[in-house]
Amino acid sequence: MAKARAPPSSNLRRVTYIPTLTFRDFPSFRNKLSDEFTFDFVDGFLSSDPAPGVDLFYPPPYYSFWNTLAIADVRKSHTWLRDYIAKNGPYDGVMCFSQGCSLIASFCLYHEAETPKQPLPFKVAIFICGGVPMQVVEDLGIDVSQEAWDMNTKSSKALAEQASSDAILKSGLNRWMNADGFIPEGEKPVNPKNVFGLNFEDMPQHLRITIPTVHVYGNKDPRCTASLQLAQFSDPVLMKTYDHGGGHDVPRKTEVSESIARLVEWTAAAVSVRR
């Protein structure tokens, strides 16, 4: 797992970056950070088949946090996470990608629903290209419309196709295309009454992630709609979003690397202010 320390002025001791499968690091933006940031890289605890396209870049073994989205399997991953942090922490934050975002987001939301008076075992979260599983949203008692289910199915299928080895070899970066043609207009907020089928105005206010969060997504990612839904579960006063302009990945452009590095530093400052 990555042990991350921030500059003394921020008081951020460690940041836990939890990737999914073997997508192990983002050296392009990590290289923009002070050497005082360190990261503990954590693999999933279950053996898994590779996610689409992963086998082109990373050799086995492959890991996952769950192999099905049954609620029992999701909750088992939460028990593993809590035990891991208790054994290897303390950690001030988590940074996660794809399925790792689903793990951390669902962990936070169940925590707020069941033990809101207890602090989370980390103080900040950075989500990169990830969302909350609709199965979790429904289990928390939130109405999931047919529109939301349809978008979830459509975007998941599109991601599997566009991230596949065949698509990579055929089209490279040109393979990325949003599932429904939706392209976010910069940082323009979405309509909270209908965020791709979820009505956040009618949602219980206690079901919110109450720690500072960063939401990084790409407007060409078929699953960017899930990223924007996840952002709505966060406290708007303690949240930043960033569109890196790519797909379900992190472009290695200097501008993107520097922007994400600054967001990581913002979380360190946020921890310092809240202490």
Side-chain angles (χ1 to χ4, degrees):
M1 209 179 205
K3 296 178 186 179
R5 288 179 305 225
S9 60
S10 72
N11 292 321
L12 183 64
R13 294 184 303 275
R14 297 201 284 176
V15 173
T16 305
Y17 164 31
I18 301 183
T20 179
L21 301 176
T22 55
F23 200 69
R24 293 197 60 85
D25 61 5
F26 297 115
S28 56
F29 70 74
R30 287 174 53 224
N31 290 339
K32 304 293 183 182
L33 295 168
S34 163
D35 289 341
E36 293 180 273
F37 283 89
T38 61
F39 296 79
D40 287 350
F41 290 92
V42 183
D43 287 319
F45 61 99
L46 298 173
S47 296
S48 173
D49 292 332
V54 167
D55 54 325
L56 281 183
F57 304 101
Y58 301 98
Y62 305 109
Y63 301 99
S64 180
F65 296 114
W66 52 67
N67 288 323
T68 78
L69 278 170
I71 296 301
D73 289 344
V74 174
R75 300 308 298 266
K76 185 181 296 183
S77 74
H78 296 168
T79 299
W80 168 84
L81 175 65
R82 191 176 293 107
D83 291 346
Y84 188 96
I85 292 175
K87 180 179 179 180
N88 297 280
Y91 295 105
D92 281 313
V94 289
M95 178 185 288
C96 38
F97 176 81
S98 195
Q99 191 192 65
C101 296
S102 296
L103 167 64
I104 296 301
S106 59
F107 180 89
C108 290
L109 290 173
Y110 277 115
H111 177 92
E112 296 298 338
E114 298 169 353
T115 56
K117 294 184 179 180
Q118 297 180 18
L120 283 161
F122 41 84
K123 300 178 180 67
V124 296
I126 301 171
F127 299 102
I128 303 175
C129 297
V132 186
M134 287 298 105
Q135 292 85 344
V136 168
V137 175
E138 188 172 66
D139 188 58
L140 287 166
I142 299 169
D143 179 51
V144 179
S145 69
Q146 189 60 49
E147 178 186 355
W149 280 114
D150 290 346
M151 173 56 70
N152 182 69
T153 300
K154 183 178 182 180
S155 62
S156 297
K157 180 180 178 181
L159 174 60
E161 293 173 349
Q162 294 175 33
S164 69
S165 298
D166 287 345
I168 293 171
L169 294 174
K170 180 180 179 180
S171 303
L173 293 177
N174 293 327
R175 71 192 185 278
W176 294 120
M177 182 180 299
N178 194 278
D180 67 343
F182 169 79
I183 301 296
E185 298 180 25
E187 299 302 310
K188 182 179 179 180
V190 295
N191 178 6
K193 291 184 178 180
N194 186 0
V195 185
F196 312 106
L198 295 181
N199 184 344
F200 283 87
E201 286 199 346
D202 290 343
M203 204 166 290
Q205 288 302 307
H206 71 280
L207 291 179
R208 293 291 189 274
I209 300 173
T210 56
I211 58 175
T213 59
V214 168
H215 302 266
V216 178
Y217 62 91
N219 61 45
K220 296 177 182 177
D221 181 0
R223 292 286 290 165
C224 81
T225 50
S227 295
L228 295 172
Q229 288 173 332
L230 172 54
Q232 291 294 312
F233 278 104
S234 300
D235 185 334
V237 177
L238 301 173
M239 174 189 72
K240 288 187 178 293
T241 62
Y242 175 63
D243 177 3
H244 63 53
H248 198 74
D249 56 12
V250 180
R252 293 173 181 261
K253 298 178 180 178
T254 299
E255 178 185 357
V256 171
S257 298
E258 291 178 346
S259 295
I260 295 178
R262 299 297 81 77
L263 290 169
V264 175
E265 292 172 344
W266 174 82
T267 64
V271 168
S272 179
V273 169
R274 289 167 66 86
R275 283 182 174 171

